[in-house]
Amino acid sequence: MTARASLATGGDLLMLTMYMWGHLDRAVGDLPHEEPAELFERFLGWAGSLPVRAGALPG
């Protein structure tokens, strides 16, 4: 299991995404020479490909 998948199975995907967004925000300031699109992929782009657990969404 990859580290990303391990993170996602440990809790709420929405909370993980919000947490990683905070890290992305700091990374953009700390790494001004990096492409924003690449930073997005590193911090958040992968989250959209994770499976959503049954019962994780209301409805």
Side-chain angles (χ1 to χ4, degrees):
M1 178 179 294
T2 67
R4 292 172 176 174
S6 179
L7 279 171
T9 58
D12 184 354
L13 186 56
L14 176 59
M15 293 302 293
L16 173 62
T17 303
M18 291 171 56
Y19 175 73
M20 293 306 293
W21 190 274
H23 287 295
L24 171 61
D25 188 49
R26 284 188 291 281
V28 168
D30 290 344
L31 304 168
H33 301 296
E34 294 286 331
E35 290 292 325
E38 183 195 329
L39 290 174
F40 178 86
E41 283 301 315
R42 284 170 50 187
F43 285 85
L44 291 166
W46 57 271
S49 65
L50 295 172
V52 176
R53 289 179 292 135
L57 297 175

